[in-house]
Amino acid sequence: MLPLLQETYRELRPRAPFPEFELRFYPFVNINNTVRLADGRMKLRLSDLLESAPEPVLKAILHILLAKIYRRPIDRAHSSRYRRYIASREMMQKAQRVRQMRGRKRLESAQGRCYDLDEVFDTLNVRFFHGLLGRPQMSWSAERARHLLGHYDPAHNAIIISKVFDQPHVPRLAMEYIVYHEMLHLKHPVKIRGSRRCVHGKEFREEEKAFPRLEAARLFLKSL
Ligand SMILES: [Zn+2]
């Protein structure tokens, strides 16, 4: 790896002396790469997810880091090679697995005061999805959030529902609607079209309409 680093350095700075290089692969939670230069020592830390990357990809990331720290323009061939590699399906899956393991989320429990989210998930799963969805980690949120009523977190495979729904005056219908919406996110992963993320696609919206008394449920949400 050092020869590759020296070669990359030479391309950017043909005559300058080498700093003292220190390069390590590091278990970041995300695919991070950092570089620091102090007192003639250059510390590079690459995500250990890149440890098995092919040499041209490693060369690309080294070029990007060195160009950044010396404020040189980044060669577009290198930046696109690196981006393509990171965006490959295999790398995305790898990164997601690692986040799940390293970034373990602290979650509250599925059992609330009024509703048990595991039971709600299982009931809706049978009613609307032929029982085909695998149950993710279900949890009530820590706060009674009104701005974020629910969300599905694919990195941790968890559905979190705002505790605002875990109250006796909240009709089960409204709470079920939020869980159903998040279950649709589980079923329809976010699609990337070009640079746009498509969160509520056509199929998603069609399927959401299948929820009975949808309008009544939405009306209640407005009153929260
Ligand atoms: Zn949504």
Side-chain angles (χ1 to χ4, degrees):
M1 194 79 184
L2 184 64
L4 191 64
L5 181 54
Q6 288 175 334
E7 176 193 309
T8 313
Y9 183 90
R10 272 284 158 262
E11 287 162 11
L12 281 165
R13 314 190 83 207
R15 276 173 296 276
F18 288 130
E20 198 183 318
F21 289 119
E22 184 191 307
L23 188 141
R24 284 207 294 146
F25 286 98
Y26 194 82
F28 291 115
V29 172
N30 291 303
I31 307 176
N32 277 337
N33 305 286
T34 65
V35 60
R36 225 167 278 144
L37 182 61
D39 306 323
R41 285 168 62 89
M42 184 181 292
K43 287 188 184 177
L44 298 107
R45 282 178 164 186
L46 303 190
S47 162
D48 62 350
L49 288 172
L50 298 174
E51 232 172 331
S52 56
E55 197 171 295
V57 173
L58 290 172
K59 168 121 186 158
I61 183 60
L62 292 176
H63 168 86
I64 293 166
L65 292 174
L66 291 178
K68 246 166 128 179
I69 204 152
Y70 291 114
R71 297 187 181 156
R72 298 292 169 80
I74 292 170
D75 185 303
R76 290 177 71 183
H78 282 315
S79 62
S80 70
R81 176 171 298 123
Y82 179 67
R83 261 187 291 119
R84 269 203 312 276
Y85 182 75
I86 292 299
S88 68
R89 164 174 277 240
E90 194 192 338
M91 274 306 285
M92 302 248 281
Q93 284 170 350
K94 213 165 154 185
Q96 182 160 320
R97 276 199 302 276
V98 163
R99 270 201 302 274
Q100 267 170 31
M101 278 160 20
R102 292 182 187 156
R104 201 164 269 302
K105 205 164 180 153
R106 273 192 309 137
L107 293 175
E108 308 288 312
S109 139
Q111 176 67 61
R113 283 194 308 148
C114 304
Y115 299 114
D116 174 5
L117 289 174
D118 282 343
E119 177 272 315
V120 175
F121 182 97
D122 292 343
T123 306
L124 295 177
N125 198 12
V126 171
R127 191 145 40 114
F128 296 105
F129 303 96
H130 310 284
L132 289 174
L133 295 182
R135 189 171 74 206
Q137 202 175 351
M138 301 294 294
S139 176
W140 289 106
S141 66
E143 309 292 330
R144 281 188 190 165
R146 283 160 210 279
H147 54 282
L148 189 63
L149 299 178
H151 76 281
Y152 169 60
D153 176 349
H156 299 91
N157 192 35
I159 286 178
I160 294 100
I161 303 293
S162 170
K163 218 159 64 180
V164 81
F165 290 98
D166 190 29
Q167 303 184 77
H169 72 272
V170 172
R172 183 171 170 113
L173 176 79
M175 180 273 307
E176 280 189 342
Y177 165 61
I178 291 295
V179 177
Y180 178 72
H181 181 96
E182 299 313 322
M183 288 171 83
L184 289 177
H185 279 303
L186 177 70
K187 183 177 170 185
H188 301 278
V190 172
K191 291 193 184 94
I192 315 246
R193 289 211 187 98
S195 59
R196 279 190 51 228
R197 287 156 43 91
C198 181
V199 181
H200 301 116
K202 192 161 174 279
E203 285 166 49
F204 184 107
R205 280 177 283 127
E206 282 303 315
E207 210 167 326
E208 188 169 39
K209 283 185 204 146
F211 189 80
R213 299 178 59 215
L214 183 63
E215 288 316 313
R218 282 181 172 160
L219 206 62
F220 179 82
L221 298 191
K222 282 191 192 137
S223 75
L224 278 174

PDB file of all heavy atoms in Angstrom, residues 5 19 21 23 55 60 66 82 92 96 102-103 128 136 139 141 164 167 169 175 191:
ATOM      1  N   LEU A   5       0.738   4.665  -2.391  1.00  0.00           N
ATOM      2  CA  LEU A   5       0.574   5.990  -1.799  1.00  0.00           C
ATOM      3  C   LEU A   5       1.674   6.937  -2.291  1.00  0.00           C
ATOM      4  O   LEU A   5       1.408   8.085  -2.663  1.00  0.00           O
ATOM      5  CB  LEU A   5       0.598   5.838  -0.265  1.00  0.00           C
ATOM      6  CG  LEU A   5       0.421   7.088   0.590  1.00  0.00           C
ATOM      7  CD1 LEU A   5      -0.838   7.845   0.220  1.00  0.00           C
ATOM      8  CD2 LEU A   5       0.371   6.697   2.073  1.00  0.00           C
ATOM      9  N   PRO A  19       6.191  13.251   3.026  1.00  0.00           N
ATOM     10  CA  PRO A  19       5.997  13.344   4.481  1.00  0.00           C
ATOM     11  C   PRO A  19       6.135  11.933   5.054  1.00  0.00           C
ATOM     12  O   PRO A  19       6.258  10.961   4.305  1.00  0.00           O
ATOM     13  CB  PRO A  19       4.546  13.838   4.605  1.00  0.00           C
ATOM     14  CG  PRO A  19       3.874  13.424   3.340  1.00  0.00           C
ATOM     15  CD  PRO A  19       4.934  13.300   2.284  1.00  0.00           C
ATOM     16  N   PHE A  21       4.446   8.912   6.160  1.00  0.00           N
ATOM     17  CA  PHE A  21       3.088   8.417   5.961  1.00  0.00           C
ATOM     18  C   PHE A  21       2.681   7.448   7.055  1.00  0.00           C
ATOM     19  O   PHE A  21       3.466   6.597   7.478  1.00  0.00           O
ATOM     20  CB  PHE A  21       2.979   7.679   4.620  1.00  0.00           C
ATOM     21  CG  PHE A  21       3.056   8.571   3.423  1.00  0.00           C
ATOM     22  CD1 PHE A  21       4.082   8.411   2.493  1.00  0.00           C
ATOM     23  CD2 PHE A  21       2.099   9.552   3.205  1.00  0.00           C
ATOM     24  CE1 PHE A  21       4.155   9.214   1.367  1.00  0.00           C
ATOM     25  CE2 PHE A  21       2.164  10.361   2.074  1.00  0.00           C
ATOM     26  CZ  PHE A  21       3.195  10.186   1.156  1.00  0.00           C
ATOM     27  N   LEU A  23      -0.665   5.034   7.355  1.00  0.00           N
ATOM     28  CA  LEU A  23      -1.928   4.664   6.736  1.00  0.00           C
ATOM     29  C   LEU A  23      -2.525   3.461   7.460  1.00  0.00           C
ATOM     30  O   LEU A  23      -1.853   2.455   7.663  1.00  0.00           O
ATOM     31  CB  LEU A  23      -1.700   4.324   5.267  1.00  0.00           C
ATOM     32  CG  LEU A  23      -2.986   4.114   4.461  1.00  0.00           C
ATOM     33  CD1 LEU A  23      -2.830   4.714   3.082  1.00  0.00           C
ATOM     34  CD2 LEU A  23      -3.347   2.665   4.341  1.00  0.00           C
ATOM     35  N   GLU A  55      -7.097  -2.442  -6.597  1.00  0.00           N
ATOM     36  CA  GLU A  55      -6.079  -1.401  -6.538  1.00  0.00           C
ATOM     37  C   GLU A  55      -6.488  -0.067  -7.179  1.00  0.00           C
ATOM     38  O   GLU A  55      -6.229   0.991  -6.604  1.00  0.00           O
ATOM     39  CB  GLU A  55      -4.772  -1.920  -7.149  1.00  0.00           C
ATOM     40  CG  GLU A  55      -3.599  -1.046  -6.750  1.00  0.00           C
ATOM     41  CD  GLU A  55      -2.261  -1.640  -7.161  1.00  0.00           C
ATOM     42  OE1 GLU A  55      -1.920  -2.707  -6.628  1.00  0.00           O
ATOM     43  OE2 GLU A  55      -1.571  -1.035  -8.009  1.00  0.00           O
ATOM     44  N   ALA A  60      -7.653   5.551  -6.372  1.00  0.00           N
ATOM     45  CA  ALA A  60      -8.587   6.667  -6.540  1.00  0.00           C
ATOM     46  C   ALA A  60      -8.821   7.384  -5.213  1.00  0.00           C
ATOM     47  O   ALA A  60      -8.765   8.611  -5.146  1.00  0.00           O
ATOM     48  CB  ALA A  60      -9.913   6.157  -7.121  1.00  0.00           C
ATOM     49  N   LEU A  66      -5.323  13.016  -1.075  1.00  0.00           N
ATOM     50  CA  LEU A  66      -4.126  13.857  -1.232  1.00  0.00           C
ATOM     51  C   LEU A  66      -4.466  15.168  -1.949  1.00  0.00           C
ATOM     52  O   LEU A  66      -3.998  16.239  -1.559  1.00  0.00           O
ATOM     53  CB  LEU A  66      -3.041  13.096  -2.005  1.00  0.00           C
ATOM     54  CG  LEU A  66      -2.403  11.909  -1.271  1.00  0.00           C
ATOM     55  CD1 LEU A  66      -1.375  11.218  -2.150  1.00  0.00           C
ATOM     56  CD2 LEU A  66      -1.759  12.350   0.037  1.00  0.00           C
ATOM     57  N   TYR A  82     -14.172   5.987  -7.829  1.00  0.00           N
ATOM     58  CA  TYR A  82     -14.441   5.764  -6.409  1.00  0.00           C
ATOM     59  C   TYR A  82     -15.950   5.748  -6.141  1.00  0.00           C
ATOM     60  O   TYR A  82     -16.473   4.865  -5.472  1.00  0.00           O
ATOM     61  CB  TYR A  82     -13.770   6.847  -5.556  1.00  0.00           C
ATOM     62  CG  TYR A  82     -14.047   6.678  -4.089  1.00  0.00           C
ATOM     63  CD1 TYR A  82     -13.539   5.595  -3.382  1.00  0.00           C
ATOM     64  CD2 TYR A  82     -14.866   7.582  -3.401  1.00  0.00           C
ATOM     65  CE1 TYR A  82     -13.824   5.418  -2.040  1.00  0.00           C
ATOM     66  CE2 TYR A  82     -15.146   7.406  -2.057  1.00  0.00           C
ATOM     67  CZ  TYR A  82     -14.618   6.327  -1.387  1.00  0.00           C
ATOM     68  OH  TYR A  82     -14.921   6.146  -0.065  1.00  0.00           O
ATOM     69  N   MET A  92     -22.889  -1.316  -0.959  1.00  0.00           N
ATOM     70  CA  MET A  92     -23.983  -0.747  -0.177  1.00  0.00           C
ATOM     71  C   MET A  92     -24.463  -1.760   0.863  1.00  0.00           C
ATOM     72  O   MET A  92     -24.724  -1.414   2.004  1.00  0.00           O
ATOM     73  CB  MET A  92     -25.150  -0.366  -1.078  1.00  0.00           C
ATOM     74  CG  MET A  92     -24.751   0.625  -2.138  1.00  0.00           C
ATOM     75  SD  MET A  92     -25.468   2.258  -1.939  1.00  0.00           S
ATOM     76  CE  MET A  92     -27.082   2.052  -2.556  1.00  0.00           C
ATOM     77  N   GLN A  96     -24.229  -1.447   4.874  1.00  0.00           N
ATOM     78  CA  GLN A  96     -25.434  -1.512   5.696  1.00  0.00           C
ATOM     79  C   GLN A  96     -25.294  -2.541   6.815  1.00  0.00           C
ATOM     80  O   GLN A  96     -25.670  -2.296   7.947  1.00  0.00           O
ATOM     81  CB  GLN A  96     -26.631  -1.847   4.817  1.00  0.00           C
ATOM     82  CG  GLN A  96     -27.918  -1.883   5.594  1.00  0.00           C
ATOM     83  CD  GLN A  96     -29.119  -1.719   4.672  1.00  0.00           C
ATOM     84  OE1 GLN A  96     -29.080  -0.932   3.744  1.00  0.00           O
ATOM     85  NE2 GLN A  96     -30.157  -2.476   4.923  1.00  0.00           N
ATOM     86  N   ARG A 102     -22.232  -2.111  14.002  1.00  0.00           N
ATOM     87  CA  ARG A 102     -21.435  -1.150  14.773  1.00  0.00           C
ATOM     88  C   ARG A 102     -22.260  -0.031  15.361  1.00  0.00           C
ATOM     89  O   ARG A 102     -21.920   0.526  16.382  1.00  0.00           O
ATOM     90  CB  ARG A 102     -20.360  -0.548  13.872  1.00  0.00           C
ATOM     91  CG  ARG A 102     -19.342  -1.572  13.500  1.00  0.00           C
ATOM     92  CD  ARG A 102     -18.260  -0.972  12.649  1.00  0.00           C
ATOM     93  NE  ARG A 102     -17.398  -2.040  12.174  1.00  0.00           N
ATOM     94  CZ  ARG A 102     -16.654  -1.977  11.092  1.00  0.00           C
ATOM     95  NH1 ARG A 102     -16.648  -0.886  10.363  1.00  0.00           N
ATOM     96  NH2 ARG A 102     -15.903  -2.990  10.739  1.00  0.00           N
ATOM     97  N   GLY A 103     -23.283   0.343  14.649  1.00  0.00           N
ATOM     98  CA  GLY A 103     -24.037   1.505  15.098  1.00  0.00           C
ATOM     99  C   GLY A 103     -25.292   1.095  15.823  1.00  0.00           C
ATOM    100  O   GLY A 103     -26.318   1.711  15.633  1.00  0.00           O
ATOM    101  N   PHE A 128     -52.833  -7.622   5.624  1.00  0.00           N
ATOM    102  CA  PHE A 128     -52.541  -6.919   4.362  1.00  0.00           C
ATOM    103  C   PHE A 128     -51.398  -7.508   3.532  1.00  0.00           C
ATOM    104  O   PHE A 128     -51.260  -7.202   2.361  1.00  0.00           O
ATOM    105  CB  PHE A 128     -52.195  -5.448   4.643  1.00  0.00           C
ATOM    106  CG  PHE A 128     -53.323  -4.671   5.242  1.00  0.00           C
ATOM    107  CD1 PHE A 128     -53.316  -4.330   6.585  1.00  0.00           C
ATOM    108  CD2 PHE A 128     -54.415  -4.295   4.464  1.00  0.00           C
ATOM    109  CE1 PHE A 128     -54.362  -3.614   7.153  1.00  0.00           C
ATOM    110  CE2 PHE A 128     -55.462  -3.580   5.013  1.00  0.00           C
ATOM    111  CZ  PHE A 128     -55.440  -3.248   6.366  1.00  0.00           C
ATOM    112  N   PRO A 136     -39.336  -6.398  11.543  1.00  0.00           N
ATOM    113  CA  PRO A 136     -38.106  -5.726  11.974  1.00  0.00           C
ATOM    114  C   PRO A 136     -38.179  -5.457  13.476  1.00  0.00           C
ATOM    115  O   PRO A 136     -39.157  -5.833  14.128  1.00  0.00           O
ATOM    116  CB  PRO A 136     -38.150  -4.418  11.186  1.00  0.00           C
ATOM    117  CG  PRO A 136     -39.591  -4.151  10.972  1.00  0.00           C
ATOM    118  CD  PRO A 136     -40.308  -5.471  10.971  1.00  0.00           C
ATOM    119  N   SER A 139     -40.325  -0.472  17.779  1.00  0.00           N
ATOM    120  CA  SER A 139     -40.085   0.284  19.006  1.00  0.00           C
ATOM    121  C   SER A 139     -40.912   1.561  19.068  1.00  0.00           C
ATOM    122  O   SER A 139     -41.100   2.231  18.053  1.00  0.00           O
ATOM    123  CB  SER A 139     -38.593   0.631  19.102  1.00  0.00           C
ATOM    124  OG  SER A 139     -38.376   1.446  20.233  1.00  0.00           O
ATOM    125  N   SER A 141     -41.023   5.428  20.185  1.00  0.00           N
ATOM    126  CA  SER A 141     -39.977   6.435  20.303  1.00  0.00           C
ATOM    127  C   SER A 141     -39.839   6.842  21.770  1.00  0.00           C
ATOM    128  O   SER A 141     -40.722   6.587  22.582  1.00  0.00           O
ATOM    129  CB  SER A 141     -40.343   7.662  19.467  1.00  0.00           C
ATOM    130  OG  SER A 141     -41.482   8.287  20.023  1.00  0.00           O
ATOM    131  N   VAL A 164     -46.613   9.309  20.800  1.00  0.00           N
ATOM    132  CA  VAL A 164     -47.847  10.079  20.835  1.00  0.00           C
ATOM    133  C   VAL A 164     -49.061   9.167  20.542  1.00  0.00           C
ATOM    134  O   VAL A 164     -50.185   9.447  20.954  1.00  0.00           O
ATOM    135  CB  VAL A 164     -47.750  11.279  19.853  1.00  0.00           C
ATOM    136  CG1 VAL A 164     -48.030  10.868  18.417  1.00  0.00           C
ATOM    137  CG2 VAL A 164     -48.656  12.413  20.275  1.00  0.00           C
ATOM    138  N   GLN A 167     -51.461   6.213  23.547  1.00  0.00           N
ATOM    139  CA  GLN A 167     -52.288   6.837  24.577  1.00  0.00           C
ATOM    140  C   GLN A 167     -53.718   6.337  24.412  1.00  0.00           C
ATOM    141  O   GLN A 167     -54.157   6.075  23.296  1.00  0.00           O
ATOM    142  CB  GLN A 167     -52.266   8.363  24.417  1.00  0.00           C
ATOM    143  CG  GLN A 167     -50.855   8.948  24.478  1.00  0.00           C
ATOM    144  CD  GLN A 167     -50.864  10.457  24.410  1.00  0.00           C
ATOM    145  OE1 GLN A 167     -51.161  11.123  25.385  1.00  0.00           O
ATOM    146  NE2 GLN A 167     -50.553  11.004  23.245  1.00  0.00           N
ATOM    147  N   HIS A 169     -56.593   7.716  24.370  1.00  0.00           N
ATOM    148  CA  HIS A 169     -57.567   8.408  23.532  1.00  0.00           C
ATOM    149  C   HIS A 169     -57.256   8.273  22.040  1.00  0.00           C
ATOM    150  O   HIS A 169     -58.015   8.739  21.195  1.00  0.00           O
ATOM    151  CB  HIS A 169     -57.630   9.902  23.917  1.00  0.00           C
ATOM    152  CG  HIS A 169     -56.420  10.673  23.483  1.00  0.00           C
ATOM    153  ND1 HIS A 169     -55.292  10.778  24.265  1.00  0.00           N
ATOM    154  CD2 HIS A 169     -56.153  11.345  22.347  1.00  0.00           C
ATOM    155  CE1 HIS A 169     -54.390  11.505  23.622  1.00  0.00           C
ATOM    156  NE2 HIS A 169     -54.888  11.852  22.447  1.00  0.00           N
ATOM    157  N   MET A 175     -53.286   4.635  14.836  1.00  0.00           N
ATOM    158  CA  MET A 175     -51.986   4.040  15.148  1.00  0.00           C
ATOM    159  C   MET A 175     -51.649   2.963  14.122  1.00  0.00           C
ATOM    160  O   MET A 175     -50.522   2.867  13.634  1.00  0.00           O
ATOM    161  CB  MET A 175     -52.060   3.495  16.572  1.00  0.00           C
ATOM    162  CG  MET A 175     -50.822   2.828  17.108  1.00  0.00           C
ATOM    163  SD  MET A 175     -50.734   1.087  16.715  1.00  0.00           S
ATOM    164  CE  MET A 175     -52.293   0.501  17.318  1.00  0.00           C
ATOM    165  N   LYS A 191     -36.045   3.970  -3.802  1.00  0.00           N
ATOM    166  CA  LYS A 191     -35.359   3.791  -5.092  1.00  0.00           C
ATOM    167  C   LYS A 191     -34.560   5.040  -5.396  1.00  0.00           C
ATOM    168  O   LYS A 191     -34.996   6.147  -5.146  1.00  0.00           O
ATOM    169  CB  LYS A 191     -36.382   3.588  -6.209  1.00  0.00           C
ATOM    170  CG  LYS A 191     -37.117   2.285  -6.120  1.00  0.00           C
ATOM    171  CD  LYS A 191     -37.870   2.021  -7.420  1.00  0.00           C
ATOM    172  CE  LYS A 191     -38.710   0.762  -7.315  1.00  0.00           C
ATOM    173  NZ  LYS A 191     -40.098   1.044  -6.918  1.00  0.00           N
TER     174      LYS A 191
END
